[in-house]
mmCIF file of all heavy atoms in Angstrom:
data_model
loop_
_atom_site.group_PDB
_atom_site.id
_atom_site.type_symbol
_atom_site.label_atom_id
_atom_site.label_comp_id
_atom_site.label_asym_id
_atom_site.label_seq_id
_atom_site.Cartn_x
_atom_site.Cartn_y
_atom_site.Cartn_z
ATOM 1 N N LYS N 1287 69.392 124.299 81.276
ATOM 2 C CA LYS N 1287 69.453 122.977 81.877
ATOM 3 C C LYS N 1287 69.938 122.008 80.810
ATOM 4 O O LYS N 1287 69.273 121.800 79.799
ATOM 5 C CB LYS N 1287 68.091 122.549 82.406
ATOM 6 C CG LYS N 1287 68.149 121.282 83.236
ATOM 7 C CD LYS N 1287 66.823 120.995 83.929
ATOM 8 C CE LYS N 1287 66.946 119.751 84.787
ATOM 9 N NZ LYS N 1287 65.665 119.425 85.466
ATOM 10 N N ILE N 1288 71.106 121.443 81.035
ATOM 11 C CA ILE N 1288 71.779 120.630 80.019
ATOM 12 C C ILE N 1288 72.087 119.238 80.565
ATOM 13 O O ILE N 1288 72.431 119.083 81.735
ATOM 14 C CB ILE N 1288 73.097 121.312 79.579
ATOM 15 C CG1 ILE N 1288 72.815 122.642 78.891
ATOM 16 C CG2 ILE N 1288 73.897 120.383 78.657
ATOM 17 C CD1 ILE N 1288 72.127 122.538 77.554
ATOM 18 N N LYS N 1289 71.967 118.263 79.691
ATOM 19 C CA LYS N 1289 72.441 116.917 80.003
ATOM 20 C C LYS N 1289 73.502 116.561 78.972
ATOM 21 O O LYS N 1289 73.230 116.518 77.774
ATOM 22 C CB LYS N 1289 71.295 115.913 79.954
ATOM 23 C CG LYS N 1289 71.754 114.466 80.182
ATOM 24 C CD LYS N 1289 70.590 113.496 80.318
ATOM 25 C CE LYS N 1289 69.953 113.652 81.682
ATOM 26 N NZ LYS N 1289 68.977 112.562 81.953
ATOM 27 N N ILE N 1290 74.731 116.348 79.451
ATOM 28 C CA ILE N 1290 75.817 115.919 78.566
ATOM 29 C C ILE N 1290 75.882 114.400 78.605
ATOM 30 O O ILE N 1290 76.015 113.795 79.669
ATOM 31 C CB ILE N 1290 77.172 116.515 79.000
ATOM 32 C CG1 ILE N 1290 77.165 118.041 78.845
ATOM 33 C CG2 ILE N 1290 78.307 115.907 78.175
ATOM 34 C CD1 ILE N 1290 78.455 118.707 79.279
ATOM 35 N N ILE N 1291 75.777 113.783 77.443
ATOM 36 C CA ILE N 1291 75.828 112.326 77.349
ATOM 37 C C ILE N 1291 77.172 111.926 76.748
ATOM 38 O O ILE N 1291 77.496 112.287 75.612
ATOM 39 C CB ILE N 1291 74.672 111.794 76.492
ATOM 40 C CG1 ILE N 1291 73.336 112.192 77.131
ATOM 41 C CG2 ILE N 1291 74.762 110.276 76.363
ATOM 42 C CD1 ILE N 1291 72.125 111.788 76.331
ATOM 43 N N VAL N 1292 77.954 111.210 77.513
ATOM 44 C CA VAL N 1292 79.284 110.772 77.088
ATOM 45 C C VAL N 1292 79.142 109.512 76.250
ATOM 46 O O VAL N 1292 78.634 108.491 76.724
ATOM 47 C CB VAL N 1292 80.181 110.506 78.311
ATOM 48 C CG1 VAL N 1292 81.542 109.978 77.873
ATOM 49 C CG2 VAL N 1292 80.353 111.783 79.136
ATOM 50 N N THR N 1293 79.557 109.582 74.968
ATOM 51 C CA THR N 1293 79.312 108.464 74.056
ATOM 52 C C THR N 1293 80.454 107.453 73.930
ATOM 53 O O THR N 1293 80.182 106.273 73.686
ATOM 54 C CB THR N 1293 78.964 108.988 72.645
ATOM 55 O OG1 THR N 1293 80.086 109.686 72.105
ATOM 56 C CG2 THR N 1293 77.757 109.902 72.695
ATOM 57 N N PRO N 1294 81.748 107.825 74.063
ATOM 58 C CA PRO N 1294 82.785 106.803 73.891
ATOM 59 C C PRO N 1294 82.615 105.666 74.900
ATOM 60 O O PRO N 1294 82.331 105.913 76.073
ATOM 61 C CB PRO N 1294 84.093 107.571 74.144
ATOM 62 C CG PRO N 1294 83.759 108.994 73.868
ATOM 63 C CD PRO N 1294 82.338 109.155 74.312
ATOM 64 N N ILE N 1295 82.776 104.429 74.460
ATOM 65 C CA ILE N 1295 82.645 103.279 75.344
ATOM 66 C C ILE N 1295 83.902 103.101 76.192
ATOM 67 O O ILE N 1295 83.836 102.853 77.384
ATOM 68 C CB ILE N 1295 82.375 102.000 74.524
ATOM 69 C CG1 ILE N 1295 81.010 102.110 73.850
ATOM 70 C CG2 ILE N 1295 82.431 100.761 75.414
ATOM 71 C CD1 ILE N 1295 79.850 102.293 74.795
ATOM 72 N N LYS N 1296 85.067 103.257 75.564
ATOM 73 C CA LYS N 1296 86.315 103.065 76.295
ATOM 74 C C LYS N 1296 86.495 104.165 77.335
ATOM 75 O O LYS N 1296 86.376 105.344 77.041
ATOM 76 C CB LYS N 1296 87.500 103.062 75.324
ATOM 77 C CG LYS N 1296 88.798 102.620 75.976
ATOM 78 C CD LYS N 1296 89.903 102.468 74.946
ATOM 79 C CE LYS N 1296 91.190 101.957 75.599
ATOM 80 N NZ LYS N 1296 92.282 101.817 74.611
ATOM 81 N N HIS N 1297 86.748 103.750 78.556
ATOM 82 C CA HIS N 1297 86.954 104.671 79.683
ATOM 83 C C HIS N 1297 85.732 105.570 79.933
ATOM 84 O O HIS N 1297 85.860 106.642 80.515
ATOM 85 C CB HIS N 1297 88.192 105.547 79.471
ATOM 86 C CG HIS N 1297 89.448 104.778 79.218
ATOM 87 N ND1 HIS N 1297 89.906 103.796 80.068
ATOM 88 C CD2 HIS N 1297 90.340 104.835 78.193
ATOM 89 C CE1 HIS N 1297 91.033 103.288 79.590
ATOM 90 N NE2 HIS N 1297 91.318 103.882 78.450
ATOM 91 N N GLN N 1298 84.560 105.139 79.501
ATOM 92 C CA GLN N 1298 83.368 105.969 79.629
ATOM 93 C C GLN N 1298 83.095 106.362 81.076
ATOM 94 O O GLN N 1298 82.832 107.523 81.382
ATOM 95 C CB GLN N 1298 82.158 105.239 79.049
ATOM 96 C CG GLN N 1298 80.883 106.048 79.129
ATOM 97 C CD GLN N 1298 79.702 105.358 78.471
ATOM 98 O OE1 GLN N 1298 78.758 104.991 79.136
ATOM 99 N NE2 GLN N 1298 79.767 105.176 77.157
ATOM 100 N N CYS N 1299 83.145 105.389 81.972
ATOM 101 C CA CYS N 1299 82.833 105.652 83.383
ATOM 102 C C CYS N 1299 83.810 106.648 83.992
ATOM 103 O O CYS N 1299 83.425 107.522 84.765
ATOM 104 C CB CYS N 1299 82.841 104.347 84.170
ATOM 105 S SG CYS N 1299 81.683 103.125 83.540
#
Side-chain angles (χ1 to χ4, degrees):
K1287 189 171 182 181
I1288 296 292
K1289 176 172 285 190
I1290 295 179
I1291 300 177
V1292 177
T1293 64
I1295 294 301
K1296 190 173 183 181
H1297 305 306
Q1298 181 176 114
C1299 302

